[in-house]
């Protein structure tokens, strides 16, 4: 990694799969059991807030009590960040905090975080590990407003895009790990990196929708491929 000056890494659900967290589009994935429109859109939340809150409460409980721990891929990225002397940005589409548990510091959760809630009006974010109900209100507004999951739903603006595009514009290496390349704007990052001449690498169990856009594709488990790639 010594020849690079500015690395951007994007991770998706596949990096947490070996830590026991369901991915979205696998056979037993989340979108097989729930309609995305019902549980991962603002309209779905307005239509049936209890259904959406239950969906995230269950995932939060599964995550907190399921004993999920970072795997070798998470630790390898944290080590890379620690010893890399150039600029390093880790962007994750994941809402778990396994990157932080593994020691990663500079992480952008572009699709939000499962263990946080947000004020619907001020966007103030607070840590939240318990069940979230429609009776839970923010403490920041004059007229208490319901707290909502700190999750970016479909149709909502992802978090940190300015910083992400700023770093992509200077990157000389872009690594995508464990993502199907289905969801935008994240799926467009490889083209952004290409446009500035960065080297692009995909690590994925199967060939993603975007594999042909990458200079190299390492097909296999993240816990095996990532430590080998970044050492
Ligand atoms: C937006 C939170 C306005 C919810 C999620 C073009 C430009 C901009 C937007 C769009 C566009 N075209 C379409 C859109 C709209 C939409 C979109 O992309 N729709 C798709 C379905 C076509 N995008 C949006 O709405 C976004 N917002 O557009 O705002 C805007 C306008 C202009 C510019 C900017 C913004 C908001 C998208 C965010 C939605 N929220 N999550 C929740 O999590 O409950 S998305 C959801 O999908 C998750 O965050 C997830 O991370 C993400 C992507 O999925 P993956 O992580 O890739 O997971 P998946 O299961 O699909 O794949 C896992 C992969 O891992 C597989 O390939 C598998 O092979 C691999 N794998 C498995 N095991 C392993 C492994 N790999 C390695 N090792 C293993 N062991």
């Amino acid at each position: 990694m010594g020849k690079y000056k500015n690395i951007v890494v994007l991770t998706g659900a596949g990096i947490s799969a070996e830590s026991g967290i369901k991915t979205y589009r696998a056979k037993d994935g989340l979108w097989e059991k729930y309609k995305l429109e019902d549980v991962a859109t603002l309209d779905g939340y307005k239509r049936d807030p209890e259904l959406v809150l239950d969906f995230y409460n269950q995932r939060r409980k599964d995550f907190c009590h399921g004993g999920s721990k970072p795997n070798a891929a998470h630790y390898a990225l944290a080590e890379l960040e620690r010893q890399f002397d150039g600029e390093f940005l880790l962007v994750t589409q994941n809402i778990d905090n396994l990157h932080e548990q593994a020691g990663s510091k500079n992480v952008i959760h572009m699709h939000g975080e499962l263990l946080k809630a947000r004020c619907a009006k001020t966007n103030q974010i607070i840590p939240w590990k318990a069940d979230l109900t429609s009776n839970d209100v923010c403490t920041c507004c004059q007229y208490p407003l319901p707290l909502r999951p700190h999750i970016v739903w479909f149709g909502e603006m992802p978090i940190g895009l300015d910083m992400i595009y700023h770093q992509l514009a200077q990157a000389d290496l872009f690594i995508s790990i464990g993502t199907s390349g289905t969801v935008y704007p994240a799926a467009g990052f490889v083209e952004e990196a290409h446009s500035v001449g960065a080297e692009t690498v995909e690590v994925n169990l199967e060939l993603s929708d975007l594999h042909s856009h990458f200079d190299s594709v390492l097909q296999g488990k993240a816990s095996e491929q990532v430590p080998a790639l970044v050492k």
Side-chain angles (χ1 to χ4, degrees):
M1 291 287 140
K3 67 177 181 177
Y4 303 106
K5 295 280 171 284
N6 186 312
I7 301 176
V8 176
V9 177
L10 171 70
T11 62
I15 199 170
S16 296
E18 292 164 84
S19 297
I21 297 179
K22 273 189 180 305
T23 63
Y24 293 81
R25 296 168 183 85
K27 282 182 290 304
D28 62 345
L30 276 164
W31 299 151
E32 291 299 308
K33 283 175 62 183
Y34 298 90
K35 277 181 70 187
L36 168 160
E37 298 72 19
D38 292 341
V39 293
T41 62
L42 185 57
D43 288 345
Y45 176 65
K46 287 177 178 170
R47 200 167 43 243
D48 188 345
E50 298 310 327
L51 171 74
V52 173
L53 292 175
D54 285 349
F55 174 64
Y56 288 99
N57 288 340
Q58 190 53 55
R59 288 171 71 189
R60 198 178 299 110
K61 267 193 281 253
D62 292 347
F63 179 69
C64 293
H65 307 314
S68 292
K69 291 282 171 253
N71 62 56
H74 296 103
Y75 285 113
L77 291 179
E79 181 54 26
L80 173 60
E81 180 184 24
R82 233 187 323 272
Q83 47 84 5
F84 182 62
D85 58 8
E87 290 200 36
F88 181 88
L89 176 65
L90 174 54
V91 182
T92 187
Q93 298 172 93
N94 299 341
I95 59 177
D96 64 58
N97 68 351
L98 294 180
H99 284 301
E100 290 84 351
Q101 286 190 43
S104 289
K105 302 282 179 243
N106 189 12
V107 185
I108 293 181
H109 283 267
M110 66 179 292
H111 292 163
E113 297 177 72
L114 189 58
L115 303 186
K116 293 182 180 171
R118 183 189 337 151
C119 171
K121 182 171 174 219
T122 66
N123 282 329
Q124 183 175 351
I125 297 164
I126 53 175
W128 199 274
K129 280 198 166 186
D131 278 358
L132 196 54
T133 72
S134 37
N135 302 324
D136 292 306
V137 293
C138 69
T139 53
C140 57
C141 298
Q142 197 183 356
Y143 307 106
L145 282 166
L147 285 173
R148 55 161 281 179
H150 177 47
I151 299 290
V152 176
W153 287 322
F154 287 92
E156 293 188 318
M157 185 64 78
I159 294 161
L161 285 184
D162 289 348
M163 172 55 82
I164 296 168
Y165 286 123
H166 175 74
Q167 288 304 105
L168 284 171
Q170 304 166 60
D172 51 9
L173 176 61
F174 173 70
I175 306 172
S176 173
I177 303 168
T179 179
S180 58
T182 317
V183 174
Y184 287 83
F189 291 170
V190 60
E191 282 316 313
E192 295 291 326
H194 247 303
S195 70
V196 294
E199 186 179 336
T200 56
V201 181
E202 177 181 78
V203 177
N204 215 52
L205 193 63
E206 302 132 4
L207 294 182
S208 79
D209 295 354
L210 300 171
H211 71 278
S212 59
H213 295 243
F214 288 84
D215 297 318
S216 47
V217 174
L218 304 174
Q219 192 168 352
K221 288 182 177 178
S223 66
E224 293 162 6
Q225 297 290 342
V226 176
L229 171 67
V230 301
K231 73 175 186 310

